[in-house]
Amino acid sequence: MNAAAITGPLTLPSASAPAERRGIERDGVRLLVTNRARSTHTHAHFYDFAEFLREGDLLVVNDSATLPAALRARRSDGTELNLHVATAIDRRLWIAEPRGAATPGEVLQLPGSGRATVLAPLDPQAPRLWFTLFDLPAAMYAYLMEHGAPIRYGYVTEVFPLSDYQTIFAREPGSAEMPSAARPFTPGVLRTLRRHGVGIATITLHCGVSSFEAPERPTIERYSVPPETAELVNRVRRAGGRVVAAGTTVLRALESSVHDGISVASQGWTDLIIDERYRLQTADALLTGFHHSAATHQWILRAFADTTALEGAYREAAAAGYYQHEFGDVHLIV
């Protein structure tokens, strides 16, 4: 599968720091609203978010909390690399990303007398993520809290605390990277949504690692859609309201938990691929960040909007100086 990338002069600058470190509030980031029916793009700020929803709509958010999932590792020859801990398979076996070439069976030394044995690539055709066996002095989450750091890429030039990588909804530890579409939510925005008659429900999807180096198929991720959320989704849609997914992670969880067009409670692993050929069954609108034109996030956006609408939105954002990536601005497609 190779969905077409957005083309044209659409490079957005990368946000190198959280909004609060740039002198604005979390909910002060820019918000671009794309209305598909009207073919319009409206510029706002995130504190205006409720103005674009209606009474009876349902906002679904991800309550996964971000782990300090980056570890410094040392090879047998003494060279160092970052090891990004991505997805739990069981207590000791995880999917991880060595930020450098890896060899099957290679043993990496970790802080605090830990070890990681790189076993085999998840996808031999794209050997970036590896099944990795960990031998640690403590359980993984406790170990990461002591020795790990939040994953950051080259456009983030400073070290920020883990709290900067958490959303207001974070409750269940497990994400290697922040479910960042929900980062701008604040207590004030939530109060305004409730005054507007917008409901809020949660799912859990533990995000793996992303990469902006090449388009790759999204990997398996662990998720849970509780019964109360499935019931609310069905009730709102029957009543003519809209279900708004706060992020591609929410969308993936909801769409992985459908039976005969009805939202159901479920939990487990999802390998669902959503692209322009996919027929959405649960969500009517999507809140998302701005992503690199080659990223697989763009596949998911094409389930909501066609190429013309998306290219128009990104041209609007580029002309107005919007920022991309996890600390950047956001895009609502309705």
Side-chain angles (χ1 to χ4, degrees), residues 258-277:
V258 178
H259 180 71
D260 289 339
I262 302 298
S263 185
V264 297
S266 70
Q267 60 182 345
W269 295 95
T270 178
D271 60 357
L272 179 65
I273 303 296
I274 299 174
D275 63 8
E276 72 274 10
R277 296 171 293 183

Side-chain angles (χ1 to χ4, degrees), residues 28-239:
V29 297
R30 302 286 300 276
L31 171 66
L32 183 68
V33 182
T34 295
N35 188 301
R36 293 169 291 174
R38 299 175 184 171
S39 300
T40 59
H41 306 290
T42 303
H43 297 276
H45 291 87
F46 194 75
Y47 48 69
D48 302 314
F49 179 65
E51 301 297 327
F52 300 96
L53 302 189
R54 301 190 294 252
E55 182 178 0
D57 286 348
L58 177 68
L59 174 70
V60 185
V61 301
N62 187 356
D63 67 3
S64 180
T66 310
L67 299 170
L71 293 168
R72 291 299 292 169
R74 181 178 288 106
R75 300 183 189 275
S76 59
D77 64 4
T79 59
E80 291 192 345
L81 75 160
N82 277 332
L83 180 67
H84 292 174
V85 179
T87 304
I89 303 299
D90 63 22
R91 186 176 63 84
R92 294 183 59 205
L93 182 64
W94 288 64
I95 297 169
E97 179 191 21
R99 297 292 286 179
T103 303
E106 181 176 8
V107 178
L108 302 175
Q109 299 300 321
L110 302 176
S113 302
R115 293 190 307 169
T117 303
V118 180
L119 299 178
L122 184 64
D123 179 358
Q125 303 303 314
R128 181 173 67 90
L129 300 174
W130 290 70
F131 290 108
T132 305
L133 190 67
F134 286 86
D135 183 9
L136 303 175
M140 177 63 84
Y141 288 179
Y143 178 82
L144 290 176
M145 292 304 294
E146 182 175 356
H147 297 288
I151 290 174
R152 63 187 177 98
Y153 296 101
Y155 53 83
V156 178
T157 55
E158 297 181 49
V159 177
F160 299 109
L162 183 62
S163 58
D164 283 351
Y165 292 85
Q166 304 291 11
T167 74
I168 194 174
F169 307 109
R171 297 291 183 274
E172 300 290 335
S175 280
E177 297 184 14
M178 174 175 52
S180 56
R183 190 182 191 278
F185 282 96
T186 62
V189 171
L190 296 182
R191 286 193 296 270
T192 305
L193 285 167
R194 293 188 176 101
R195 286 199 300 269
H196 278 69
V198 175
I200 300 174
T202 62
I203 59 88
T204 303
L205 184 140
H206 295 313
C207 311
V209 296
S210 61
S211 173
F212 308 106
E213 297 159 1
E216 297 175 353
R217 293 173 63 88
T219 58
I220 58 171
E221 292 172 312
R222 192 182 294 275
Y223 80 97
S224 173
V225 176
E228 56 270 25
T229 294
E231 181 181 347
L232 280 170
V233 167
N234 294 327
R235 186 188 308 165
V236 165
R237 301 200 86 199
R238 285 196 302 267

